[in-house]
Amino acid sequence: MPIADKYFPDEPKAPHMITPCPGPASKAKLAELSTAFDTKAAFFIADFYNSLGNYICDADGNLLLDAYCQISSIALGYNNPELLKAAQTKEMATALVNRPALACFPSSDYYEILKEGLLSVAPEGLDRVCTAHTGSDANEMAFKACLMYQATKKRAGKPFTQLELDSVMKNETPGASDMVILSFTNGFHGRLFGSLSTTHSKPIHKLDIPAFPWPTAPFPTVKYPLEDHVEENKAEDERCLKELDHVLSTFPHQIAAAIIEPVQSEGGDNHASATFFQGVRELTKKHGVLLIVDEVQCGGGGSGKMWLHQHYGIRPDLMTFSKKMQNAGFFYHDPLLAGDRPYRQFNTWCGDPSKALIAKAIIHEIKENDLLKGVNETAEYLYGKLEEIREKYSKLVLNLRGKGRGFFIAFDMPSAEIRDKFLWGCRQKGLNLGGCGDVGVRLRPGLTFGKKHVDILVGVVESELSEMSNH
Amino acid sequence: MPIADKYFPDEPKAPHMITPCPGPASKAKLAELSTAFDTKAAFFIADFYNSLGNYICDADGNLLLDAYCQISSIALGYNNPELLKAAQTKEMATALVNRPALACFPSSDYYEILKEGLLSVAPEGLDRVCTAHTGSDANEMAFKACLMYQATKKRAGKPFTQLELDSVMKNETPGASDMVILSFTNGFHGRLFGSLSTTHSKPIHKLDIPAFPWPTAPFPTVKYPLEDHVEENKAEDERCLKELDHVLSTFPHQIAAAIIEPVQSEGGDNHASATFFQGVRELTKKHGVLLIVDEVQCGGGGSGKMWLHQHYGIRPDLMTFSKKMQNAGFFYHDPLLAGDRPYRQFNTWCGDPSKALIAKAIIHEIKENDLLKGVNETAEYLYGKLEEIREKYSKLVLNLRGKGRGFFIAFDMPSAEIRDKFLWGCRQKGLNLGGCGDVGVRLRPGLTFGKKHVDILVGVVESELSEMSNH
């Protein structure tokens, strides 16, 4: 039985649009909310009480098939009954009203929650976890872990010098580090001050915010269809790896770590080859640079594996997560990555047991129902359908990509204007889709998306493309 | 009826210690947890199922009176029955399993939740809220708001230049800003990369992490008892304000905002006069610098007012909060502080309705039971008792401070070693206390702490001081 039928026997059979989206009720509620809370980026007001499974309900009662899923962060559909059960336990109520300062007063059941949840899906070799609050926070905690690790190694047991102790209080070197974090062009790792310095998705994400002078290396620009560009793409991999080697060899400050997304999502759903990722792993090892794989958007099963980098057969030193896991953090192996003494990697909460409980429930469902198998089957079916569409609308659907990477499927359109019009048109027909990069359309359904949902999605996409072609 | 009797009829009558703390069960569980999660900073394993009201239970069944409260973040005692009710509603379950991307798909009840909750305690004149995830995150979002605000004003309607658009992608000026955030010596505003650059509490909080070259101004070093040092303290206020004026006048880059805690908590529970804070507000206005008041630790009622800065009669431009509110964010008034266009101040979640629901319930209880009145009465009683103790143990208890600031009471001890020994000794007698700064002891009970708890606290403190005096 398709998993959506099991979870959601009452799921709508099809989208149902009563008004434009956003409709009058959404608009009225947005106007009200905007008196106190910024709504400039709002699509519509969501009615989560009446959303179910793969369908999101808006304030006007419109029901949209959702292949965006709160920016790729709803794993198992809306109002999943098993998650609702987990949300209504005594453990959850206790966690919610007694939120601990986990580093100082860890709760008596935290180990069990982690063991049965997050730790049970730790990528091979990374058997420890540091819990955090958001993807951005997880990445910055990973940066701090790497910076302190490298500095501790370099110090080789010697105590902090007086100069370090004094200078750091003035934000000056040598106490404040001049080590750097390397990132890749077009990557996105968050919007806090450290993570934003490794983000290179769009200027609007970065303008007017101070940034650290940290280096970048090029992420490959892959040409599609892959089978027609084998040599060019191979040369591009080699060019990028050579440039990475060059930066790692010549950058004037020590590079503590490199961070990379297994698919650059926000920056345009840019895929790269396993060869490229294996090269990145080799080169970082060669230069003594730690490798952080950012699975904030890619992780959690949407790729058909629990973590997308597992498609490439590489083992990072740290792997960050958030979004679909609902709980953020990073996995690691070397205990020194937790700091050489207490209170270095530290904050008040250090995570949130209520989120760890949700993560545990999500992970349990993924395993119990073999959801990754379902993702792979559905995604293959979906990709095939989209190949047909690309053939038919070859002027509008460009660079279809993500074959064999589960739901990490995207395509480009000829311009941002056309892409935005397409997304808006699909929404009016009851399909909620997201963009990425300048001209990309990314599919981000939940793990409960089945073939019947694919048929609806493809129907809307084709209908919208057809209308756009005729105008 | 004291509030604890209303909420917690079954609260323990006194601490009950069975083993040392941490005892064998805590140690065994810490050893187990440490195989996967860093425990170097752990005091003991907390058993939140058996904690109640002002008492925390550890894994060995020890019951400690808690005047630290998860680093000042538990407002209404453990397992507060009204919060447990809020945690078990349909609204909460819906919020937990359908966590929205609030900027894009705000939930239909978010406005009501904010209105009845956070917005109902917005400080005067700051009627808008930006929700966040932690105190550090809230401060960094506030920094970004101020930096973008100042840059937008400066740009005066002109579009971004091509040079800005290009340079920012390389983390270079002018696209990446060279504006700065001013902070005060000994302040603490978090540990992410931007907030850590404004943190000046202890070297260990900052070592080996890159920092922005942002300026500081001196926070007054107040002498106690206040009545014996009126002139000196006045002169110190004047010195600090003069120096602030100097930095604001001469720093070579534009200062977008200044951030200050109304009581510097982590940095040592450093209080300053209303005159000083009023001077800071005047000077920042004079120089066109936005003022952020960081109420992450001070806010939420522990000071006897909802926000501690309200004791000083000042109105900041932004005010950040987290901890006792369980929901983080900042209040503001000028809509331009939310950015001049969408996707500038943005992240996936932009808050968490499940936390907003907890905040709403906490705020409801504070108002319903007039808890601030209770805090002020209990705190006055507590302060009087501690004055007696200071008289009696004048070599051990130094710089008692916080009169008239609710539970924001602290004192120093002669050395870090003596302070740590004192905290450890109190814990063995069933009182959980926290330190701050190098030699400080800070009291951070919840709002449900009553006179009967004061008597127990004072009894343990005096007993420990007496033992320490005799050795």
Side-chain angles (χ1 to χ4, degrees):
Chain A
M1 191 200 291
I3 190 66
D5 296 351
K6 180 188 156 186
Y7 284 140
F8 313 113
D10 298 328
E11 191 185 58
K13 302 291 173 224
H16 182 63
M17 301 302 288
I18 306 161
T19 73
C21 180
S26 264
K27 284 181 181 170
K29 276 189 161 289
L30 284 170
E32 181 182 63
L33 180 61
S34 71
T35 60
F37 185 80
D38 184 43
T39 60
K40 290 194 293 293
F43 288 41
F44 54 78
I45 291 277
D47 174 357
F48 293 108
Y49 296 98
N50 290 301
S51 299
L52 188 65
N54 300 280
Y55 286 83
I56 187 167
C57 182
D58 75 6
D60 290 277
N62 297 309
L63 284 164
L64 294 90
L65 182 65
D66 195 359
Y68 195 27
C69 291
Q70 308 305 314
I71 317 181
S72 196
S73 69
I74 296 289
L76 303 182
Y78 296 107
N79 288 306
N80 184 292
E82 296 302 321
L83 298 193
L84 282 171
K85 274 184 215 161
Q88 290 167 308
T89 57
K90 185 181 177 184
E91 286 74 17
M92 181 61 80
T94 302
L96 282 169
V97 309
N98 304 298
R99 187 172 182 184
L102 280 166
C104 292
F105 308 98
S107 38
S108 48
D109 52 0
Y110 201 50
Y111 178 70
E112 284 301 315
I113 297 170
L114 292 177
K115 190 179 147 200
E116 290 171 24
L118 288 167
L119 289 168
S120 77
V121 291
E124 200 189 359
L126 304 187
D127 51 358
R128 293 168 181 268
V129 69
C130 171
T131 46
H133 314 93
T134 65
S136 214
D137 183 44
N139 282 337
E140 296 210 358
M141 289 180 80
F143 296 171
K144 288 177 67 176
C146 294
L147 288 156
M148 293 189 291
Y149 174 96
Q150 299 283 19
T152 303
K153 289 257 178 187
K154 207 169 165 180
R155 204 170 275 118
K158 282 182 234 125
F160 300 117
T161 65
Q162 195 58 47
L163 183 61
E164 286 176 326
L165 295 167
D166 294 342
S167 59
V168 77
M169 297 300 270
K170 295 181 278 181
N171 291 352
E172 290 170 3
T173 58
S177 181
D178 61 0
M179 287 191 209
V180 301
I181 307 292
L182 178 138
S183 52
F184 290 81
T185 52
N186 298 312
F188 182 93
H189 303 288
R191 289 164 163 262
L192 299 168
F193 284 74
S195 47
L196 192 62
S197 292
T198 61
T199 284
H200 312 279
S201 40
K202 292 181 189 168
I204 199 68
H205 297 159
K206 292 169 71 74
L207 281 157
D208 300 333
I209 311 300
F212 291 110
W214 291 350
T216 53
F219 193 88
T221 303
V222 177
K223 292 200 172 157
Y224 297 92
L226 291 177
E227 54 275 24
D228 298 343
H229 299 88
V230 174
E231 286 308 312
E232 278 163 282
N233 288 335
K234 199 178 153 209
E236 174 68 355
D237 280 354
E238 284 164 7
R239 181 188 74 83
C240 291
L241 290 171
K242 199 174 156 193
E243 179 62 19
L244 173 63
D245 196 21
H246 178 72
V247 177
L248 293 175
S249 308
T250 60
F251 195 75
H253 298 285
Q254 184 177 347
I255 299 172
I259 183 163
I260 195 164
E261 294 160 279
V263 168
Q264 291 187 324
S265 307
E266 185 62 33
D269 257 41
N270 308 314
H271 290 248
S273 68
T275 308
F276 172 72
F277 281 98
Q278 289 157 8
V280 169
R281 175 67 284 195
E282 264 174 46
L283 288 172
T284 45
K285 265 196 188 147
K286 174 181 142 189
H287 290 281
V289 168
L290 293 160
L291 180 62
I292 306 167
V293 167
D294 175 344
E295 293 267 7
V296 168
Q297 179 152 171
C298 295
S303 75
K305 292 190 186 281
M306 194 64 201
W307 310 109
L308 206 153
H309 79 273
Q310 293 171 328
H311 284 282
Y312 309 140
I314 56 167
R315 189 187 294 190
D317 299 296
L318 304 87
M319 192 212 83
T320 59
F321 58 89
S322 184
K323 285 197 184 255
K324 276 200 180 63
M325 288 291 98
Q326 296 286 302
N327 196 168
F330 66 85
F331 291 109
Y332 64 105
H333 170 67
D334 191 328
L336 191 57
L337 283 166
D340 61 328
R341 64 188 81 186
Y343 295 109
R344 298 199 72 185
Q345 183 76 276
F346 186 85
N347 56 64
T348 300
W349 286 320
C350 287
D352 184 342
S354 75
K355 300 303 181 194
L357 284 165
I358 294 280
K360 186 182 99 166
I362 290 169
I363 290 161
H364 178 268
E365 290 307 301
I366 291 175
K367 292 194 278 197
E368 179 79 7
N369 298 292
D370 205 359
L371 293 184
L372 302 185
K373 186 162 170 269
V375 167
N376 285 316
E377 286 170 5
T378 306
E380 194 184 342
Y381 178 69
L382 169 58
Y383 198 86
K385 293 272 181 189
L386 289 172
E387 280 188 314
E388 289 169 25
I389 285 182
R390 179 195 55 186
E391 295 289 320
K392 199 163 165 188
Y393 299 95
S394 60
K395 285 185 185 155
L396 286 171
V397 175
L398 314 171
N399 301 327
L400 178 66
R401 55 198 180 269
K403 189 172 185 176
R405 298 289 177 264
F407 290 138
F408 276 73
I409 297 172
F411 56 87
D412 294 334
M413 300 195 78
S415 72
E417 197 190 348
I418 292 172
R419 188 268 314 267
D420 292 347
K421 184 168 178 292
F422 171 77
L423 295 177
W424 192 87
C426 287
R427 203 168 304 129
Q428 305 316 310
K429 293 182 168 69
L431 173 63
N432 192 40
L433 283 180
C436 62
D438 293 324
V439 294
V441 174
R442 59 177 152 176
L443 304 188
R444 289 295 177 276
L447 312 186
T448 59
F449 207 77
K451 289 184 184 173
K452 68 177 180 185
H453 306 108
V454 168
D455 289 336
I456 292 166
L457 179 147
V458 166
V460 172
V461 164
E462 183 153 11
S463 153
E464 184 60 23
L465 290 171
S466 166
E467 281 180 31
M468 287 172 76
S469 302
N470 295 332
H471 285 289
Chain B
M1 190 201 290
I3 190 66
D5 296 350
K6 179 189 156 186
Y7 283 140
F8 314 113
D10 298 326
E11 191 185 57
K13 302 291 172 225
H16 182 63
M17 299 303 286
I18 306 161
T19 72
C21 179
S26 264
K27 284 182 179 169
K29 275 188 161 291
L30 283 170
E32 181 182 62
L33 180 61
S34 71
T35 60
F37 185 80
D38 183 42
T39 59
K40 289 194 293 292
F43 289 40
F44 54 78
I45 291 278
D47 174 358
F48 292 109
Y49 296 98
N50 289 302
S51 299
L52 188 64
N54 300 280
Y55 287 83
I56 187 167
C57 182
D58 75 6
D60 290 277
N62 297 310
L63 284 164
L64 295 90
L65 182 65
D66 195 359
Y68 194 28
C69 291
Q70 308 305 314
I71 317 181
S72 195
S73 69
I74 296 290
L76 303 182
Y78 296 106
N79 289 305
N80 184 292
E82 296 302 321
L83 298 193
L84 282 170
K85 274 185 213 161
Q88 290 167 308
T89 57
K90 185 180 176 184
E91 287 73 17
M92 180 61 79
T94 302
L96 283 169
V97 309
N98 304 298
R99 186 171 181 183
L102 280 166
C104 292
F105 308 97
S107 37
S108 49
D109 52 0
Y110 200 52
Y111 179 70
E112 284 301 314
I113 297 169
L114 292 177
K115 190 179 147 198
E116 291 171 23
L118 288 168
L119 290 167
S120 77
V121 291
E124 200 188 1
L126 304 188
D127 52 357
R128 292 168 182 267
V129 69
C130 171
T131 45
H133 313 94
T134 65
S136 214
D137 184 44
N139 283 336
E140 296 210 358
M141 290 180 80
F143 296 171
K144 288 176 67 174
C146 294
L147 288 156
M148 293 188 291
Y149 176 96
Q150 300 281 19
T152 303
K153 289 257 177 190
K154 207 169 167 181
R155 204 170 276 120
K158 283 183 232 122
F160 299 117
T161 66
Q162 195 58 47
L163 183 61
E164 285 177 326
L165 295 168
D166 294 341
S167 60
V168 76
M169 297 299 271
K170 295 182 276 183
N171 291 352
E172 290 170 2
T173 56
S177 180
D178 62 359
M179 287 192 207
V180 301
I181 307 291
L182 178 139
S183 52
F184 290 82
T185 52
N186 299 312
F188 181 93
H189 303 289
R191 288 165 165 261
L192 298 168
F193 284 76
S195 47
L196 192 62
S197 292
T198 61
T199 284
H200 312 280
S201 39
K202 291 180 188 167
I204 198 68
H205 297 158
K206 292 170 69 75
L207 281 157
D208 300 333
I209 310 301
F212 291 109
W214 291 350
T216 54
F219 193 88
T221 303
V222 177
K223 291 200 172 159
Y224 297 92
L226 291 176
E227 55 274 23
D228 298 343
H229 300 88
V230 174
E231 287 307 314
E232 278 163 283
N233 288 335
K234 197 177 155 212
E236 173 70 353
D237 280 354
E238 284 164 9
R239 180 188 75 82
C240 291
L241 290 171
K242 198 173 157 195
E243 178 61 20
L244 173 63
D245 195 21
H246 177 72
V247 176
L248 293 175
S249 308
T250 60
F251 195 75
H253 298 284
Q254 184 178 346
I255 299 173
I259 184 164
I260 194 164
E261 294 159 279
V263 168
Q264 292 186 324
S265 307
E266 185 61 33
D269 256 43
N270 308 313
H271 291 248
S273 68
T275 308
F276 172 72
F277 281 97
Q278 288 158 8
V280 169
R281 175 67 284 194
E282 266 175 47
L283 288 172
T284 46
K285 264 195 189 149
K286 174 181 144 191
H287 291 280
V289 169
L290 294 160
L291 180 62
I292 307 167
V293 167
D294 174 346
E295 293 266 8
V296 168
Q297 179 152 173
C298 294
S303 76
K305 291 191 187 282
M306 194 63 200
W307 311 110
L308 206 152
H309 78 273
Q310 293 171 326
H311 285 282
Y312 309 139
I314 57 166
R315 189 188 295 190
D317 300 296
L318 303 89
M319 192 212 84
T320 59
F321 57 90
S322 183
K323 285 195 183 258
K324 275 200 181 62
M325 289 290 97
Q326 296 287 301
N327 196 168
F330 66 86
F331 291 109
Y332 64 106
H333 170 66
D334 191 327
L336 191 57
L337 283 166
D340 61 330
R341 62 190 80 186
Y343 296 109
R344 298 198 72 183
Q345 184 75 275
F346 186 85
N347 57 64
T348 299
W349 287 319
C350 286
D352 184 341
S354 75
K355 300 304 181 194
L357 284 165
I358 295 279
K360 186 182 98 165
I362 291 170
I363 289 161
H364 179 268
E365 290 306 303
I366 290 175
K367 292 194 279 198
E368 179 79 9
N369 298 292
D370 204 358
L371 293 185
L372 302 185
K373 184 161 172 268
V375 167
N376 284 316
E377 286 169 7
T378 306
E380 193 183 343
Y381 179 70
L382 169 59
Y383 198 88
K385 293 272 180 189
L386 289 173
E387 280 188 311
E388 290 169 24
I389 285 181
R390 179 195 53 187
E391 296 288 321
K392 199 164 165 189
Y393 300 96
S394 61
K395 285 188 185 152
L396 286 171
V397 176
L398 314 170
N399 301 327
L400 178 66
R401 54 196 180 272
K403 190 172 185 176
R405 298 288 177 264
F407 290 139
F408 276 74
I409 297 171
F411 56 85
D412 294 333
M413 301 194 78
S415 72
E417 197 190 349
I418 291 171
R419 188 269 313 267
D420 292 347
K421 184 168 180 291
F422 171 77
L423 294 177
W424 192 87
C426 287
R427 202 166 306 128
Q428 305 317 309
K429 292 182 168 70
L431 173 64
N432 192 40
L433 283 180
C436 63
D438 293 326
V439 294
V441 174
R442 59 177 153 177
L443 303 188
R444 288 296 176 275
L447 312 186
T448 58
F449 206 78
K451 289 184 184 173
K452 68 178 179 184
H453 306 108
V454 168
D455 289 335
I456 292 166
L457 180 147
V458 166
V460 172
V461 165
E462 183 153 14
S463 152
E464 184 60 25
L465 290 170
S466 166
E467 280 181 30
M468 287 172 76
S469 302
N470 295 332
H471 284 288

